[in-house]
Amino acid sequence: MKFKEIIIKKANVCFKKLAQKAVNYAEDLLGSGTGAAKKELAIDFLLSKLPIYLKPIIPFFRETLIKLADSLIEKAVQRAKTSEWGCGI
């Protein structure tokens, strides 16, 4: 496994655990009607929660990490909307 793949795998595990928390944090802080700003805040939240040993390499993989965080945040938002509307059917 290549170094980049290892980093992405570690980040994915970390981000999956915290994606919903990042969405809730951004929603609580900024409220409704601020979609782009909330997404940026949620991504920054996730990046800040990476393990300390990954932080020095964030600049080298920033775009990839942002894409990963963005997709997980979108999934968390969809789950939140589904649960908000009831049983999700």
Side-chain angles (χ1 to χ4, degrees):
M1 188 178 288
K2 294 181 181 178
F3 182 67
K4 184 176 180 178
E5 292 170 353
I6 293 169
I7 299 305
I8 300 306
K9 185 176 179 181
K10 297 279 186 188
N12 191 33
V13 169
C14 179
F15 288 172
K16 277 185 177 179
K17 292 178 184 175
L18 296 171
Q20 193 64 51
K21 188 179 276 190
V23 168
N24 294 342
Y25 170 76
E27 181 68 32
D28 290 345
L29 195 63
L30 299 178
S32 61
T34 56
K38 282 192 290 193
K39 184 179 276 190
E40 189 174 328
L41 182 62
I43 288 171
D44 288 342
F45 178 90
L46 289 178
L47 290 176
S48 74
K49 299 301 181 184
L50 283 172
I52 191 113
Y53 63 89
L54 293 180
K55 290 193 182 209
I57 59 173
I58 287 174
F60 302 105
F61 298 105
R62 187 165 182 79
E63 287 301 314
T64 304
L65 292 171
I66 288 173
K67 287 178 186 175
L68 174 63
D70 184 46
S71 71
L72 292 171
I73 287 167
E74 285 298 323
K75 290 176 186 173
V77 167
Q78 291 305 316
R79 280 193 307 271
K81 285 181 181 178
T82 300
S83 66
E84 203 173 87
W85 291 330
C87 61
I89 297 175

